[in-house]
Amino acid sequence: MYTTRPAAFDYHRPTSVDEAVALLSQLDDARPLAGGHSLLPAMKLRWSTPSALVDIGRIPGLDAIEADGDGLRIGALATHASVAASELVASRAPALADAAAMIGDRQVRNRGTIGGSLAHSDPGADYPTVVAALGARIAIAGSGGTRDVAAAGFFTGLFATALQPGELVTAVRVPAVPGSAYVKHKHPASGYAVVGAAAAVTADGTKLVIGGVTGVPVDVPVGPASPDGIPAAVRGALTNVIGDTYASAEYRTHLATVLARRALAKASGRAG
Ligand code: FAD
């Protein structure tokens, strides 16, 4: 049966991370609710039928964007709009600001959160590609305590992450990479990335990550390759490329080679 109404669920609104984590561990089949821009559409289509929602949206302080040494600490509830508008993000990790400003439309950017986007791990989402390129770490709280996971190991598959049931993303810690950039080819209706490319240029080397093509962000070893060698490096790194009604696997691969060069050029320009 087709429906646009979610199945019945209980609703809880904790006021602290500890309370949220306790609820998630006590309740059967409970899910955190943040901006609701991915979860609620899935519930309305009954792709997702949690018995309870734990609305973390009013937990004080979880939306803070602050300096963390030379880098950044971005709270899980920071909206895409606030990441896009943050001068701290623009100066320390401009690839994140690039991504945030290009997500969906104004409504989505005003409600959607960085923690929700990372936890959802949509193959067309923008942040996963960027946090992987920047070498960020995802801070997690659960009933067993807190831990943090390197972004590169956090995304484990299509809509799958290293989060255990009942765990919450609480923040993202991002090192300062002023020489970083993100570019994407948008789906014209939703804005999701058909393909995205993030590049980070530091004194230690260059990192290139491609998103939207296989379900998880893909690291492309660029080494000292000249710009002419980039397309071959990208093609070599991409396997099991998604082909769907938006773009064939061949077209996605081609886009990835083009966007890789653009992201690297933009990041190098910013690195000075
Ligand atoms: P929710 O919808 O509340 O939650 C999503 C999932 O994450 C749920 O499973 C929820 O239980 C879980 N969750 C939420 N927060 C946490 C947490 N802190 N810890 C653990 N689990 C958590 N995204 C892009 O990247 N690029 C786009 O161009 C884009 N375009 C969009 C266009 C439209 C029309 C729409 C509706 C969405 C679009 N999105 C896009 C997705 C948008 O960015 C979502 O807001 C985001 O993916 C999910 O964030 P949220 O805060 O809304 O999470």
PDB file of all heavy atoms in Angstrom, residues 31-40 56 76 80 102-104 108 111-113 115-117 119-120 124-127 163 167-169 184 190-192, ligand 1:
ATOM      1  N   ARG A  31      14.976   5.636  17.159  1.00  0.00           N
ATOM      2  CA  ARG A  31      15.942   6.297  16.265  1.00  0.00           C
ATOM      3  C   ARG A  31      16.094   7.749  16.693  1.00  0.00           C
ATOM      4  O   ARG A  31      15.101   8.399  17.072  1.00  0.00           O
ATOM      5  CB  ARG A  31      15.418   6.300  14.811  1.00  0.00           C
ATOM      6  CG  ARG A  31      15.264   4.911  14.215  1.00  0.00           C
ATOM      7  CD  ARG A  31      16.600   4.322  13.788  1.00  0.00           C
ATOM      8  NE  ARG A  31      17.130   4.997  12.619  1.00  0.00           N
ATOM      9  CZ  ARG A  31      16.775   4.693  11.379  1.00  0.00           C
ATOM     10  NH1 ARG A  31      15.904   3.734  11.145  1.00  0.00           N
ATOM     11  NH2 ARG A  31      17.310   5.334  10.362  1.00  0.00           N
ATOM     12  N   PRO A  32      17.323   8.283  16.601  1.00  0.00           N
ATOM     13  CA  PRO A  32      17.477   9.719  16.833  1.00  0.00           C
ATOM     14  C   PRO A  32      16.825  10.514  15.698  1.00  0.00           C
ATOM     15  O   PRO A  32      16.865  10.089  14.547  1.00  0.00           O
ATOM     16  CB  PRO A  32      19.000   9.944  16.815  1.00  0.00           C
ATOM     17  CG  PRO A  32      19.631   8.601  16.698  1.00  0.00           C
ATOM     18  CD  PRO A  32      18.590   7.630  16.254  1.00  0.00           C
ATOM     19  N   LEU A  33      16.253  11.651  16.062  1.00  0.00           N
ATOM     20  CA  LEU A  33      15.704  12.587  15.068  1.00  0.00           C
ATOM     21  C   LEU A  33      16.479  13.894  15.209  1.00  0.00           C
ATOM     22  O   LEU A  33      16.559  14.446  16.303  1.00  0.00           O
ATOM     23  CB  LEU A  33      14.215  12.846  15.344  1.00  0.00           C
ATOM     24  CG  LEU A  33      13.555  13.955  14.524  1.00  0.00           C
ATOM     25  CD1 LEU A  33      13.426  13.549  13.057  1.00  0.00           C
ATOM     26  CD2 LEU A  33      12.169  14.288  15.090  1.00  0.00           C
ATOM     27  N   ALA A  34      17.064  14.378  14.107  1.00  0.00           N
ATOM     28  CA  ALA A  34      17.777  15.668  14.142  1.00  0.00           C
ATOM     29  C   ALA A  34      16.975  16.652  13.291  1.00  0.00           C
ATOM     30  O   ALA A  34      15.903  17.097  13.697  1.00  0.00           O
ATOM     31  CB  ALA A  34      19.211  15.487  13.679  1.00  0.00           C
ATOM     32  N   GLY A  35      17.455  16.967  12.083  1.00  0.00           N
ATOM     33  CA  GLY A  35      16.711  17.894  11.220  1.00  0.00           C
ATOM     34  C   GLY A  35      15.489  17.260  10.588  1.00  0.00           C
ATOM     35  O   GLY A  35      14.579  17.954  10.123  1.00  0.00           O
ATOM     36  N   GLY A  36      15.478  15.954  10.504  1.00  0.00           N
ATOM     37  CA  GLY A  36      14.316  15.223   9.970  1.00  0.00           C
ATOM     38  C   GLY A  36      14.222  15.218   8.456  1.00  0.00           C
ATOM     39  O   GLY A  36      13.286  14.652   7.898  1.00  0.00           O
ATOM     40  N   HIS A  37      15.197  15.809   7.768  1.00  0.00           N
ATOM     41  CA  HIS A  37      15.062  15.940   6.322  1.00  0.00           C
ATOM     42  C   HIS A  37      15.400  14.669   5.543  1.00  0.00           C
ATOM     43  O   HIS A  37      15.157  14.602   4.344  1.00  0.00           O
ATOM     44  CB  HIS A  37      15.879  17.132   5.807  1.00  0.00           C
ATOM     45  CG  HIS A  37      15.035  18.358   5.736  1.00  0.00           C
ATOM     46  ND1 HIS A  37      14.321  18.824   6.812  1.00  0.00           N
ATOM     47  CD2 HIS A  37      14.760  19.191   4.707  1.00  0.00           C
ATOM     48  CE1 HIS A  37      13.661  19.903   6.443  1.00  0.00           C
ATOM     49  NE2 HIS A  37      13.901  20.144   5.171  1.00  0.00           N
ATOM     50  N   SER A  38      15.958  13.686   6.192  1.00  0.00           N
ATOM     51  CA  SER A  38      16.114  12.369   5.564  1.00  0.00           C
ATOM     52  C   SER A  38      15.216  11.351   6.253  1.00  0.00           C
ATOM     53  O   SER A  38      14.586  10.522   5.598  1.00  0.00           O
ATOM     54  CB  SER A  38      17.583  11.909   5.637  1.00  0.00           C
ATOM     55  OG  SER A  38      18.379  12.722   4.821  1.00  0.00           O
ATOM     56  N   LEU A  39      15.136  11.431   7.581  1.00  0.00           N
ATOM     57  CA  LEU A  39      14.379  10.416   8.329  1.00  0.00           C
ATOM     58  C   LEU A  39      12.870  10.535   8.074  1.00  0.00           C
ATOM     59  O   LEU A  39      12.192   9.528   7.832  1.00  0.00           O
ATOM     60  CB  LEU A  39      14.685  10.537   9.827  1.00  0.00           C
ATOM     61  CG  LEU A  39      14.007   9.520  10.745  1.00  0.00           C
ATOM     62  CD1 LEU A  39      14.302   8.094  10.306  1.00  0.00           C
ATOM     63  CD2 LEU A  39      14.454   9.724  12.187  1.00  0.00           C
ATOM     64  N   LEU A  40      12.328  11.763   8.126  1.00  0.00           N
ATOM     65  CA  LEU A  40      10.867  11.884   8.001  1.00  0.00           C
ATOM     66  C   LEU A  40      10.363  11.463   6.620  1.00  0.00           C
ATOM     67  O   LEU A  40       9.358  10.740   6.531  1.00  0.00           O
ATOM     68  CB  LEU A  40      10.404  13.294   8.383  1.00  0.00           C
ATOM     69  CG  LEU A  40      10.632  13.640   9.858  1.00  0.00           C
ATOM     70  CD1 LEU A  40      10.051  14.998  10.212  1.00  0.00           C
ATOM     71  CD2 LEU A  40      10.050  12.576  10.785  1.00  0.00           C
ATOM     72  N   ILE A  56      16.722  14.837  19.234  1.00  0.00           N
ATOM     73  CA  ILE A  56      17.893  15.459  19.860  1.00  0.00           C
ATOM     74  C   ILE A  56      17.995  16.947  19.515  1.00  0.00           C
ATOM     75  O   ILE A  56      18.921  17.629  19.955  1.00  0.00           O
ATOM     76  CB  ILE A  56      19.203  14.734  19.453  1.00  0.00           C
ATOM     77  CG1 ILE A  56      19.410  14.783  17.925  1.00  0.00           C
ATOM     78  CG2 ILE A  56      19.197  13.287  19.953  1.00  0.00           C
ATOM     79  CD1 ILE A  56      20.784  14.280  17.481  1.00  0.00           C
ATOM     80  N   ALA A  76      27.117  18.171  16.335  1.00  0.00           N
ATOM     81  CA  ALA A  76      26.293  17.368  15.424  1.00  0.00           C
ATOM     82  C   ALA A  76      25.064  18.119  14.929  1.00  0.00           C
ATOM     83  O   ALA A  76      24.584  17.869  13.829  1.00  0.00           O
ATOM     84  CB  ALA A  76      25.856  16.092  16.134  1.00  0.00           C
ATOM     85  N   HIS A  80      23.373  22.886   8.034  1.00  0.00           N
ATOM     86  CA  HIS A  80      24.169  23.156   6.831  1.00  0.00           C
ATOM     87  C   HIS A  80      24.310  24.682   6.633  1.00  0.00           C
ATOM     88  O   HIS A  80      25.371  25.172   6.245  1.00  0.00           O
ATOM     89  CB  HIS A  80      23.513  22.533   5.592  1.00  0.00           C
ATOM     90  CG  HIS A  80      23.106  21.100   5.782  1.00  0.00           C
ATOM     91  ND1 HIS A  80      23.820  20.218   6.541  1.00  0.00           N
ATOM     92  CD2 HIS A  80      22.031  20.403   5.309  1.00  0.00           C
ATOM     93  CE1 HIS A  80      23.216  19.031   6.529  1.00  0.00           C
ATOM     94  NE2 HIS A  80      22.129  19.121   5.790  1.00  0.00           N
ATOM     95  N   MET A 102      26.219  24.152  -0.898  1.00  0.00           N
ATOM     96  CA  MET A 102      25.629  23.546  -2.098  1.00  0.00           C
ATOM     97  C   MET A 102      24.604  22.468  -1.772  1.00  0.00           C
ATOM     98  O   MET A 102      24.079  21.819  -2.669  1.00  0.00           O
ATOM     99  CB  MET A 102      26.734  22.926  -2.965  1.00  0.00           C
ATOM    100  CG  MET A 102      27.621  23.954  -3.645  1.00  0.00           C
ATOM    101  SD  MET A 102      28.659  23.200  -4.905  1.00  0.00           S
ATOM    102  CE  MET A 102      29.945  22.469  -3.911  1.00  0.00           C
ATOM    103  N   ILE A 103      24.328  22.227  -0.494  1.00  0.00           N
ATOM    104  CA  ILE A 103      23.384  21.158  -0.142  1.00  0.00           C
ATOM    105  C   ILE A 103      21.948  21.609  -0.424  1.00  0.00           C
ATOM    106  O   ILE A 103      21.529  22.683   0.019  1.00  0.00           O
ATOM    107  CB  ILE A 103      23.528  20.767   1.354  1.00  0.00           C
ATOM    108  CG1 ILE A 103      24.862  20.051   1.586  1.00  0.00           C
ATOM    109  CG2 ILE A 103      22.359  19.888   1.803  1.00  0.00           C
ATOM    110  CD1 ILE A 103      25.162  19.697   3.028  1.00  0.00           C
ATOM    111  N   GLY A 104      21.214  20.787  -1.143  1.00  0.00           N
ATOM    112  CA  GLY A 104      19.770  20.957  -1.344  1.00  0.00           C
ATOM    113  C   GLY A 104      19.362  22.380  -1.649  1.00  0.00           C
ATOM    114  O   GLY A 104      19.949  23.056  -2.500  1.00  0.00           O
ATOM    115  N   VAL A 108      16.251  22.959   3.191  1.00  0.00           N
ATOM    116  CA  VAL A 108      17.047  21.806   3.636  1.00  0.00           C
ATOM    117  C   VAL A 108      18.253  22.287   4.433  1.00  0.00           C
ATOM    118  O   VAL A 108      18.588  21.725   5.477  1.00  0.00           O
ATOM    119  CB  VAL A 108      17.503  20.965   2.414  1.00  0.00           C
ATOM    120  CG1 VAL A 108      18.475  19.873   2.842  1.00  0.00           C
ATOM    121  CG2 VAL A 108      16.308  20.360   1.695  1.00  0.00           C
ATOM    122  N   ARG A 111      17.376  23.270   8.078  1.00  0.00           N
ATOM    123  CA  ARG A 111      16.937  22.215   9.003  1.00  0.00           C
ATOM    124  C   ARG A 111      17.953  21.082   9.121  1.00  0.00           C
ATOM    125  O   ARG A 111      18.128  20.518  10.190  1.00  0.00           O
ATOM    126  CB  ARG A 111      15.598  21.621   8.535  1.00  0.00           C
ATOM    127  CG  ARG A 111      14.415  22.541   8.620  1.00  0.00           C
ATOM    128  CD  ARG A 111      13.968  22.811  10.013  1.00  0.00           C
ATOM    129  NE  ARG A 111      13.726  21.582  10.776  1.00  0.00           N
ATOM    130  CZ  ARG A 111      13.474  21.548  12.071  1.00  0.00           C
ATOM    131  NH1 ARG A 111      13.440  22.677  12.752  1.00  0.00           N
ATOM    132  NH2 ARG A 111      13.268  20.417  12.697  1.00  0.00           N
ATOM    133  N   GLY A 112      18.560  20.705   8.002  1.00  0.00           N
ATOM    134  CA  GLY A 112      19.444  19.535   7.991  1.00  0.00           C
ATOM    135  C   GLY A 112      20.701  19.798   8.811  1.00  0.00           C
ATOM    136  O   GLY A 112      21.196  20.921   8.886  1.00  0.00           O
ATOM    137  N   THR A 113      21.219  18.748   9.448  1.00  0.00           N
ATOM    138  CA  THR A 113      22.376  18.898  10.338  1.00  0.00           C
ATOM    139  C   THR A 113      23.551  18.059   9.845  1.00  0.00           C
ATOM    140  O   THR A 113      23.368  17.043   9.156  1.00  0.00           O
ATOM    141  CB  THR A 113      22.022  18.422  11.765  1.00  0.00           C
ATOM    142  OG1 THR A 113      21.785  16.997  11.739  1.00  0.00           O
ATOM    143  CG2 THR A 113      20.790  19.129  12.305  1.00  0.00           C
ATOM    144  N   GLY A 115      25.508  16.219  11.717  1.00  0.00           N
ATOM    145  CA  GLY A 115      25.482  14.902  12.359  1.00  0.00           C
ATOM    146  C   GLY A 115      24.495  13.972  11.671  1.00  0.00           C
ATOM    147  O   GLY A 115      24.782  12.788  11.443  1.00  0.00           O
ATOM    148  N   GLY A 116      23.325  14.505  11.309  1.00  0.00           N
ATOM    149  CA  GLY A 116      22.321  13.689  10.621  1.00  0.00           C
ATOM    150  C   GLY A 116      22.809  13.234   9.267  1.00  0.00           C
ATOM    151  O   GLY A 116      22.615  12.086   8.864  1.00  0.00           O
ATOM    152  N   SER A 117      23.482  14.126   8.562  1.00  0.00           N
ATOM    153  CA  SER A 117      23.989  13.771   7.237  1.00  0.00           C
ATOM    154  C   SER A 117      25.047  12.674   7.333  1.00  0.00           C
ATOM    155  O   SER A 117      25.031  11.706   6.558  1.00  0.00           O
ATOM    156  CB  SER A 117      24.568  15.018   6.555  1.00  0.00           C
ATOM    157  OG  SER A 117      25.149  14.660   5.336  1.00  0.00           O
ATOM    158  N   ALA A 119      25.487  10.484   9.812  1.00  0.00           N
ATOM    159  CA  ALA A 119      24.893   9.233  10.307  1.00  0.00           C
ATOM    160  C   ALA A 119      24.068   8.545   9.220  1.00  0.00           C
ATOM    161  O   ALA A 119      23.989   7.320   9.176  1.00  0.00           O
ATOM    162  CB  ALA A 119      24.017   9.522  11.525  1.00  0.00           C
ATOM    163  N   HIS A 120      23.469   9.332   8.351  1.00  0.00           N
ATOM    164  CA  HIS A 120      22.592   8.774   7.307  1.00  0.00           C
ATOM    165  C   HIS A 120      23.414   8.105   6.193  1.00  0.00           C
ATOM    166  O   HIS A 120      22.974   7.143   5.582  1.00  0.00           O
ATOM    167  CB  HIS A 120      21.712   9.900   6.754  1.00  0.00           C
ATOM    168  CG  HIS A 120      20.576   9.423   5.927  1.00  0.00           C
ATOM    169  ND1 HIS A 120      19.656   8.515   6.391  1.00  0.00           N
ATOM    170  CD2 HIS A 120      20.196   9.714   4.655  1.00  0.00           C
ATOM    171  CE1 HIS A 120      18.761   8.270   5.444  1.00  0.00           C
ATOM    172  NE2 HIS A 120      19.078   8.983   4.384  1.00  0.00           N
ATOM    173  N   GLY A 124      24.733   9.985  -2.065  1.00  0.00           N
ATOM    174  CA  GLY A 124      24.763  11.267  -2.769  1.00  0.00           C
ATOM    175  C   GLY A 124      25.021  12.446  -1.849  1.00  0.00           C
ATOM    176  O   GLY A 124      24.977  13.599  -2.286  1.00  0.00           O
ATOM    177  N   ALA A 125      25.277  12.180  -0.561  1.00  0.00           N
ATOM    178  CA  ALA A 125      25.498  13.282   0.387  1.00  0.00           C
ATOM    179  C   ALA A 125      26.882  13.888   0.185  1.00  0.00           C
ATOM    180  O   ALA A 125      27.808  13.222  -0.289  1.00  0.00           O
ATOM    181  CB  ALA A 125      25.344  12.776   1.816  1.00  0.00           C
ATOM    182  N   ASP A 126      27.011  15.145   0.581  1.00  0.00           N
ATOM    183  CA  ASP A 126      28.254  15.886   0.320  1.00  0.00           C
ATOM    184  C   ASP A 126      29.280  15.779   1.451  1.00  0.00           C
ATOM    185  O   ASP A 126      30.474  15.655   1.195  1.00  0.00           O
ATOM    186  CB  ASP A 126      27.914  17.369   0.086  1.00  0.00           C
ATOM    187  CG  ASP A 126      27.033  17.543  -1.137  1.00  0.00           C
ATOM    188  OD1 ASP A 126      27.509  17.244  -2.248  1.00  0.00           O
ATOM    189  OD2 ASP A 126      25.868  17.934  -0.992  1.00  0.00           O
ATOM    190  N   TYR A 127      28.822  15.877   2.710  1.00  0.00           N
ATOM    191  CA  TYR A 127      29.792  15.918   3.811  1.00  0.00           C
ATOM    192  C   TYR A 127      30.696  14.683   3.902  1.00  0.00           C
ATOM    193  O   TYR A 127      31.876  14.825   4.240  1.00  0.00           O
ATOM    194  CB  TYR A 127      29.083  16.075   5.150  1.00  0.00           C
ATOM    195  CG  TYR A 127      28.533  17.444   5.469  1.00  0.00           C
ATOM    196  CD1 TYR A 127      27.243  17.578   5.960  1.00  0.00           C
ATOM    197  CD2 TYR A 127      29.306  18.596   5.341  1.00  0.00           C
ATOM    198  CE1 TYR A 127      26.725  18.818   6.291  1.00  0.00           C
ATOM    199  CE2 TYR A 127      28.791  19.836   5.662  1.00  0.00           C
ATOM    200  CZ  TYR A 127      27.501  19.941   6.144  1.00  0.00           C
ATOM    201  OH  TYR A 127      26.997  21.175   6.474  1.00  0.00           O
ATOM    202  N   LEU A 163      28.513   3.405  13.310  1.00  0.00           N
ATOM    203  CA  LEU A 163      27.686   3.624  14.510  1.00  0.00           C
ATOM    204  C   LEU A 163      27.043   2.313  14.943  1.00  0.00           C
ATOM    205  O   LEU A 163      26.490   1.580  14.111  1.00  0.00           O
ATOM    206  CB  LEU A 163      26.558   4.620  14.211  1.00  0.00           C
ATOM    207  CG  LEU A 163      26.898   6.102  14.137  1.00  0.00           C
ATOM    208  CD1 LEU A 163      25.686   6.890  13.670  1.00  0.00           C
ATOM    209  CD2 LEU A 163      27.387   6.614  15.495  1.00  0.00           C
ATOM    210  N   GLU A 167      23.928   4.526  19.422  1.00  0.00           N
ATOM    211  CA  GLU A 167      24.990   5.540  19.508  1.00  0.00           C
ATOM    212  C   GLU A 167      24.575   6.823  18.777  1.00  0.00           C
ATOM    213  O   GLU A 167      23.838   6.781  17.800  1.00  0.00           O
ATOM    214  CB  GLU A 167      26.287   5.001  18.891  1.00  0.00           C
ATOM    215  CG  GLU A 167      27.007   4.011  19.792  1.00  0.00           C
ATOM    216  CD  GLU A 167      28.397   3.664  19.279  1.00  0.00           C
ATOM    217  OE1 GLU A 167      28.590   3.597  18.043  1.00  0.00           O
ATOM    218  OE2 GLU A 167      29.289   3.442  20.101  1.00  0.00           O
ATOM    219  N   LEU A 168      25.121   7.926  19.282  1.00  0.00           N
ATOM    220  CA  LEU A 168      24.864   9.235  18.685  1.00  0.00           C
ATOM    221  C   LEU A 168      26.155   9.851  18.169  1.00  0.00           C
ATOM    222  O   LEU A 168      27.185   9.776  18.854  1.00  0.00           O
ATOM    223  CB  LEU A 168      24.362  10.202  19.754  1.00  0.00           C
ATOM    224  CG  LEU A 168      22.897  10.293  20.105  1.00  0.00           C
ATOM    225  CD1 LEU A 168      22.725  11.376  21.168  1.00  0.00           C
ATOM    226  CD2 LEU A 168      22.067  10.628  18.866  1.00  0.00           C
ATOM    227  N   VAL A 169      26.117  10.475  17.015  1.00  0.00           N
ATOM    228  CA  VAL A 169      27.209  11.363  16.616  1.00  0.00           C
ATOM    229  C   VAL A 169      27.038  12.638  17.436  1.00  0.00           C
ATOM    230  O   VAL A 169      25.942  13.201  17.472  1.00  0.00           O
ATOM    231  CB  VAL A 169      27.138  11.707  15.112  1.00  0.00           C
ATOM    232  CG1 VAL A 169      28.146  12.788  14.756  1.00  0.00           C
ATOM    233  CG2 VAL A 169      27.345  10.464  14.264  1.00  0.00           C
ATOM    234  N   LYS A 184      31.019  19.692  -7.011  1.00  0.00           N
ATOM    235  CA  LYS A 184      30.123  18.559  -7.319  1.00  0.00           C
ATOM    236  C   LYS A 184      29.320  18.834  -8.569  1.00  0.00           C
ATOM    237  O   LYS A 184      29.161  19.976  -8.996  1.00  0.00           O
ATOM    238  CB  LYS A 184      29.193  18.262  -6.165  1.00  0.00           C
ATOM    239  CG  LYS A 184      28.037  19.237  -5.949  1.00  0.00           C
ATOM    240  CD  LYS A 184      27.056  18.663  -4.919  1.00  0.00           C
ATOM    241  CE  LYS A 184      26.032  19.659  -4.469  1.00  0.00           C
ATOM    242  NZ  LYS A 184      25.064  19.137  -3.501  1.00  0.00           N
ATOM    243  N   SER A 190      17.135  17.598  -6.787  1.00  0.00           N
ATOM    244  CA  SER A 190      17.353  17.535  -5.334  1.00  0.00           C
ATOM    245  C   SER A 190      18.590  18.300  -4.885  1.00  0.00           C
ATOM    246  O   SER A 190      18.670  18.744  -3.743  1.00  0.00           O
ATOM    247  CB  SER A 190      17.521  16.076  -4.901  1.00  0.00           C
ATOM    248  OG  SER A 190      18.720  15.542  -5.447  1.00  0.00           O
ATOM    249  N   GLY A 191      19.558  18.424  -5.765  1.00  0.00           N
ATOM    250  CA  GLY A 191      20.833  19.029  -5.367  1.00  0.00           C
ATOM    251  C   GLY A 191      21.842  18.009  -4.892  1.00  0.00           C
ATOM    252  O   GLY A 191      23.020  18.322  -4.725  1.00  0.00           O
ATOM    253  N   TYR A 192      21.403  16.757  -4.616  1.00  0.00           N
ATOM    254  CA  TYR A 192      22.352  15.720  -4.183  1.00  0.00           C
ATOM    255  C   TYR A 192      23.478  15.589  -5.211  1.00  0.00           C
ATOM    256  O   TYR A 192      23.290  15.873  -6.396  1.00  0.00           O
ATOM    257  CB  TYR A 192      21.654  14.363  -4.078  1.00  0.00           C
ATOM    258  CG  TYR A 192      20.949  14.123  -2.767  1.00  0.00           C
ATOM    259  CD1 TYR A 192      19.564  14.214  -2.673  1.00  0.00           C
ATOM    260  CD2 TYR A 192      21.662  13.783  -1.633  1.00  0.00           C
ATOM    261  CE1 TYR A 192      18.909  13.981  -1.472  1.00  0.00           C
ATOM    262  CE2 TYR A 192      21.015  13.546  -0.428  1.00  0.00           C
ATOM    263  CZ  TYR A 192      19.648  13.643  -0.351  1.00  0.00           C
ATOM    264  OH  TYR A 192      19.009  13.415   0.840  1.00  0.00           O
TER     265      TYR A 192
HETATM  266  P1  FAD B   1      17.550  13.283  10.095  1.00  0.00           P
HETATM  267  O1  FAD B   1      16.712  13.212   8.882  1.00  0.00           O
HETATM  268  O2  FAD B   1      16.896  13.733  11.352  1.00  0.00           O
HETATM  269  O3  FAD B   1      18.228  11.854  10.390  1.00  0.00           O
HETATM  270  C1  FAD B   1      18.840  11.118   9.342  1.00  0.00           C
HETATM  271  C2  FAD B   1      19.346   9.784   9.918  1.00  0.00           C
HETATM  272  O4  FAD B   1      20.433   9.998  10.802  1.00  0.00           O
HETATM  273  C3  FAD B   1      18.296   9.026  10.750  1.00  0.00           C
HETATM  274  O5  FAD B   1      18.552   7.656  10.625  1.00  0.00           O
HETATM  275  C4  FAD B   1      18.590   9.478  12.176  1.00  0.00           C
HETATM  276  O6  FAD B   1      18.152   8.518  13.129  1.00  0.00           O
HETATM  277  C5  FAD B   1      20.105   9.608  12.141  1.00  0.00           C
HETATM  278  N1  FAD B   1      20.671  10.657  12.982  1.00  0.00           N
HETATM  279  C6  FAD B   1      20.391  11.988  12.934  1.00  0.00           C
HETATM  280  N2  FAD B   1      21.217  12.659  13.742  1.00  0.00           N
HETATM  281  C7  FAD B   1      22.009  11.745  14.335  1.00  0.00           C
HETATM  282  C8  FAD B   1      23.080  11.821  15.268  1.00  0.00           C
HETATM  283  N3  FAD B   1      23.524  13.002  15.745  1.00  0.00           N
HETATM  284  N4  FAD B   1      23.694  10.668  15.638  1.00  0.00           N
HETATM  285  C9  FAD B   1      23.290   9.467  15.158  1.00  0.00           C
HETATM  286  N5  FAD B   1      22.280   9.331  14.260  1.00  0.00           N
HETATM  287  C10 FAD B   1      21.665  10.467  13.857  1.00  0.00           C
HETATM  288  N6  FAD B   1      22.145  16.182   1.472  1.00  0.00           N
HETATM  289  C11 FAD B   1      23.308  16.447   0.860  1.00  0.00           C
HETATM  290  O7  FAD B   1      24.371  16.096   1.382  1.00  0.00           O
HETATM  291  N7  FAD B   1      23.338  17.136  -0.337  1.00  0.00           N
HETATM  292  C12 FAD B   1      22.218  17.561  -0.968  1.00  0.00           C
HETATM  293  O8  FAD B   1      22.308  18.219  -2.007  1.00  0.00           O
HETATM  294  C13 FAD B   1      20.964  17.266  -0.356  1.00  0.00           C
HETATM  295  N8  FAD B   1      19.804  17.655  -0.927  1.00  0.00           N
HETATM  296  C14 FAD B   1      18.633  17.365  -0.306  1.00  0.00           C
HETATM  297  C15 FAD B   1      17.445  17.776  -0.910  1.00  0.00           C
HETATM  298  C16 FAD B   1      16.225  17.488  -0.318  1.00  0.00           C
HETATM  299  C17 FAD B   1      14.968  17.916  -0.995  1.00  0.00           C
HETATM  300  C18 FAD B   1      16.189  16.821   0.951  1.00  0.00           C
HETATM  301  C19 FAD B   1      14.883  16.540   1.650  1.00  0.00           C
HETATM  302  C20 FAD B   1      17.365  16.423   1.572  1.00  0.00           C
HETATM  303  C21 FAD B   1      18.590  16.694   0.942  1.00  0.00           C
HETATM  304  N9  FAD B   1      19.792  16.312   1.531  1.00  0.00           N
HETATM  305  C22 FAD B   1      20.976  16.572   0.896  1.00  0.00           C
HETATM  306  C23 FAD B   1      19.813  15.599   2.823  1.00  0.00           C
HETATM  307  C24 FAD B   1      19.884  16.608   3.962  1.00  0.00           C
HETATM  308  O9  FAD B   1      21.174  17.156   4.015  1.00  0.00           O
HETATM  309  C25 FAD B   1      19.543  15.926   5.292  1.00  0.00           C
HETATM  310  O10 FAD B   1      19.174  16.933   6.140  1.00  0.00           O
HETATM  311  C26 FAD B   1      20.643  15.127   5.937  1.00  0.00           C
HETATM  312  O11 FAD B   1      21.119  14.103   5.134  1.00  0.00           O
HETATM  313  C27 FAD B   1      20.168  14.457   7.219  1.00  0.00           C
HETATM  314  O12 FAD B   1      20.290  15.374   8.256  1.00  0.00           O
HETATM  315  P2  FAD B   1      19.089  15.610   9.251  1.00  0.00           P
HETATM  316  O13 FAD B   1      19.616  16.461  10.342  1.00  0.00           O
HETATM  317  O14 FAD B   1      17.916  16.104   8.496  1.00  0.00           O
HETATM  318  O15 FAD B   1      18.870  14.124   9.823  1.00  0.00           O
END
